[in-house]
Each structure stands twice: as structure tokens, then as C-alpha cells.
Amino acid sequence: MKDNSPQTEGTEAWYTYDGQDNDVIVATRVRLARNLADFPFPEHLRPGDDERIISIVFDAFNQMPDGDFFQAVTMDKLDTLGWRILHERGALDVHGSKKEGLVLRNDGKLSCTVNSGDHVQIKAFATGLDLDQTMRMATSVDSLLQSKIQFAASYDFGYLTANTWDAGSGMKISLRMHLPSVAAMGGIRSLASMVMSEGFSFTATYGNGGYNNVDGSGGKGSSLGSYYTLDTVNSQSGTELDQMSAVVSMAAKIKDMERTSRDECKMNSTTSVKNYMYRAVALARSSMFVSLREAISIISGVKWGKDMGFLTGIDDTELHALLYRIQEGHLEYVLKNGIFHFEKDVKDVPQKKNERLRALILQEAFQDIKLAL
């Protein structure tokens, strides 16, 4: 295992792969929370315990058969830009202290944080709906770690975690979804109510959207770009298989609702859908600057148009990757490592450079798009 700052570019990131049902389910994440026996939870560690735990976990990864595919870093060695990129990719949730650590697989499909919330949090990512692959990756690393490390557990409560809701399996499943048709048909409120009544969390992925010069799919209070995240809440109800089955069942209901709503939109609201899609493409192609919020709405509009069969020339994989490529940290990395010749009134203004580069990235991605008039 390499003991340096994880690569943030140059390898195939997890979100560049194709995925099942990714017309609706954009991405899957499985997280396993574990804590070392004989140590207090991270918030109550004794002096020196944090460094000992990092050393124990890093050493366990180093002894894995595929240890060379992982890179390890402590937070005090990770610069702000590196942290920001890893946060945008989902490997890091919050800005941690210097006494935390991170282990990252080269393709980013699996990460492990140390002393962040719990002593160990293993996260596996996949595009589309893919609980089998994410669970297999996470449990494989979990098993290898358990062959070297004793985790805190009991027969009555299962794995012991800092958050009592995570005790039991220690597993949390998250699905990122694109639901523009449900939003357009006014069904988000009833969907959210149904989801939460069955014990899940349902939140806007990128914050609130609403009416603006791009978004024509939702009103005030809707999610920006109609991207939503479904999370399991309670890790104590049933086994891992029970919890996975509940997520698969809920995902099937949501997929059916979005696809049914899509057919209704295509039949009854064709002009409104095309208006949103055409404006999204036109704004991307004609703008010198594109803000992050505009870019998310643009990508959503193009994806909706593609899923409705109103345009061709781009696929779900590229659209998913764009959601990461247009983020601030990723743009700063590209600017830092590339040579660009910006206009004289742009080159010395960092925010303008980001918005200019974001516009160029969208224009390049959309160059082969053909509209079905």
C-alpha cells in the first residue's frame, strides 16, 4: 500500500462506468461502520489512541493481498484541494481533523475513513443500481480487516457504533436518483411521504432548485436538477440481506413511478419537456460562463431529454461523470495541472476561470448531441 496522498485524477473513477437502471438510479453507495475493540469511540479517544488506530488500520490494509491497489493518507498530509475533490467524489463526508486517516482504492470504488464518526467506515460505490457489487466490495474488505483487527460487537446489539442507529449491521445504503418526470407531474411530495413511511430518508442531493432560466421541471422547493438521495436510516432492523431487500423493493417502486410519469409527460407535456431540454442545450452551447447550479440543471435537462427519446449523441455514463467534472474542486485541479489561454478579462479572476472552464467542458460533452425536432 502506498503511503501518500491519494491520486485524484489519472485513474478511471468509479462514476465513469456504466450501470444498471441508470436512467433512474444514478449511483449506489454501501457504507459499513466498524469500531475497534478496547478503544473508546472517536469523540472520546485518549491521547495517542487516534494515532494508534490509524497505524493499526493502515497496517491491516498493507497486509492485504491487493494492498498495492490502495493508497493511504492522514488528514494532515492532505491539502485543501485534495480534500475537496475526495469530498466531491463521496470518499469524505466532512472536513475532518488532523488525527483522521483515509485509505482509497485507485479507482475510487472503495474508500475507508479512519476516526471519522467511527474508527472505520468502509464505503463502496457503483453507478446505477448495484447492491451486489457494492456489498461484495465492502464485505470483502471488512472480512480482510477482521482477520487482522478485532471489532467491537455483541450478540445482542451486533456491531457497536458511535451512532446508535448504525448499530447492528453497521450498514447504510444510499441511492442517488434522477426523478424529473415525477417532479414535473407533481408527485415528489407523495413519493417522499411513501418513502419515509417505510423507514427511509429522502433528501435533495444538490439542494433546492425551483424556477430559473433553465429548470422547467419543478417549482419552489424542488430538488436542484431533480436529483434525490434515498438513505436507509436504521441498521438494526433485520440482517444485511433483509435491509438490502427492502432497498431493492423501494428502488423498484421508485423506478416504476419515474418511468410511468415519463410516459405521461411524453404523452401530455411534450412541449414543456422539449422546452426545458432545448433551453438546457442552448444555454450550455451559447454561454461563456456557467455556474455550478446552472450546470447541474443543464445536465438534468439533457438527461431527461435523452431518457424521453428527444435527443441522441450522449449517454448516461457521460452525463453522470459530468456531475463530478463540473464541481469546483475538480475544475481547480484541471486548471492547476493544465495550460489554458483564457480571455484577458477572465485569466486573473479564479471564479470566472472556473465558470469559463465549466462552460467549455459542457460544450465539448454536448458537441455530438442531435435534437429530435
Side-chain angles (χ1 to χ4, degrees), residues 313-339:
I314 196 166
D315 58 30
D316 281 315
T317 303
E318 187 168 7
L319 288 166
H320 186 207
L322 278 173
L323 290 172
Y324 296 87
R325 293 178 60 203
I326 51 87
Q327 297 290 329
E328 297 288 345
H330 283 68
L331 294 177
E332 289 178 24
Y333 182 89
V334 173
L335 289 171
K336 182 179 178 181
N337 292 275
I339 299 175

Side-chain angles (χ1 to χ4, degrees), residues 29-47:
R29 187 192 80 167
V30 168
R31 187 222 63 196
L32 300 179
R34 302 287 187 260
N35 288 278
L36 278 63
D38 302 323
F39 287 94
F41 291 133
E43 287 189 0
H44 304 286
L45 290 174
R46 300 172 294 254

Side-chain angles (χ1 to χ4, degrees), residues 69-89:
F69 291 97
F70 292 92
Q71 300 175 71
V73 64
T74 54
M75 290 300 118
D76 59 340
K77 300 290 181 61
L78 189 63
D79 62 22
T80 301
L81 179 57
W83 179 89
R84 192 169 190 176
I85 293 172
L86 293 171
H87 173 66
E88 291 170 357
R89 291 191 177 190

Side-chain angles (χ1 to χ4, degrees), residues 96-373:
S97 71
K98 294 181 179 180
K99 300 300 182 181
E100 296 178 10
L102 172 71
V103 181
L104 185 70
R105 206 170 82 171
N106 287 345
D107 58 6
K109 287 186 176 182
L110 190 137
S111 68
C112 176
T113 54
V114 187
N115 292 332
S116 177
D118 294 280
H119 296 151
V120 171
Q121 288 191 355
I122 303 164
K123 301 173 187 175
F125 305 89
T127 51
L129 179 61
D130 198 342
L131 281 175
D132 289 337
Q133 176 180 276
T134 49
M135 192 63 179
R136 185 169 56 251
M137 288 191 296
T139 54
S140 175
V141 169
D142 181 39
S143 297
L144 289 169
L145 288 177
Q146 293 201 45
S147 69
K148 306 293 181 183
I149 302 171
Q150 182 180 355
F151 288 137
S154 75
Y155 288 106
D156 293 327
F157 300 105
Y159 291 105
L160 304 182
T161 55
N163 184 336
T164 55
W165 288 102
D166 292 334
S169 68
M171 181 175 69
K172 182 175 183 178
I173 299 172
S174 301
L175 300 181
R176 180 174 295 179
M177 304 169 294
H178 186 233
L179 306 174
S181 304
V182 175
M185 298 300 295
I188 289 296
R189 186 179 295 275
S190 61
L191 171 58
S193 178
M194 182 266 291
V195 166
M196 291 186 286
S197 71
E198 297 196 26
F200 296 93
S201 169
F202 188 75
T203 57
T205 303
Y206 298 108
N208 286 344
Y211 290 114
N212 55 38
N213 60 339
V214 186
D215 191 349
S217 67
K220 183 178 180 181
S222 63
S223 173
L224 178 63
S226 297
Y227 289 99
Y228 294 87
T229 300
L230 173 83
D231 291 304
T232 56
V233 176
N234 188 351
S235 299
Q236 303 173 22
S237 56
T239 66
E240 288 90 340
L241 288 177
D242 293 332
Q243 294 165 26
M244 290 173 65
S245 295
V247 172
V248 170
S249 176
M250 180 55 66
K253 295 177 183 177
I254 295 173
K255 287 186 296 180
D256 181 66
M257 186 175 292
E258 171 62 22
R259 289 167 181 167
T260 299
S261 296
R262 188 184 299 159
D263 290 339
E264 293 177 9
C265 286
K266 194 169 185 177
M267 182 179 299
N268 302 317
S269 305
T270 301
T271 304
S272 296
V273 175
K274 286 186 175 181
N275 177 64
Y276 179 19
M277 177 193 68
Y278 291 167
R279 293 176 73 184
V281 174
L283 183 61
R285 286 179 168 173
S286 62
S287 295
M288 299 294 287
F289 304 104
V290 177
S291 71
L292 178 57
R293 287 181 61 84
E294 286 176 326
I296 292 170
S297 188
I298 287 169
I299 293 166
S300 172
V302 171
K303 177 169 168 54
W304 196 21
K306 182 204 73 67
D307 291 336
M308 296 281 273
F310 292 153
L311 60 78
T312 61
I314 196 166
D315 58 30
D316 281 315
T317 303
E318 187 168 7
L319 288 166
H320 186 207
L322 278 173
L323 290 172
Y324 296 87
R325 293 178 60 203
I326 51 87
Q327 297 290 329
E328 297 288 345
H330 283 68
L331 294 177
E332 289 178 24
Y333 182 89
V334 173
L335 289 171
K336 182 179 178 181
N337 292 275
I339 299 175
F340 299 90
H341 300 286
F342 291 110
E343 296 82 353
K344 64 180 181 180
D345 58 338
V346 174
K347 63 180 182 180
D348 295 324
V349 186
Q351 187 58 39
K352 288 297 183 184
K353 287 197 295 185
N354 276 16
E355 293 184 354
R356 183 76 179 102
L357 179 58
R358 187 179 288 117
L360 293 172
I361 288 172
L362 290 176
Q363 288 161 14
E364 180 183 28
F366 293 171
Q367 63 184 354
D368 295 327
I369 285 179
K370 294 180 174 60
L371 305 179
L373 298 176

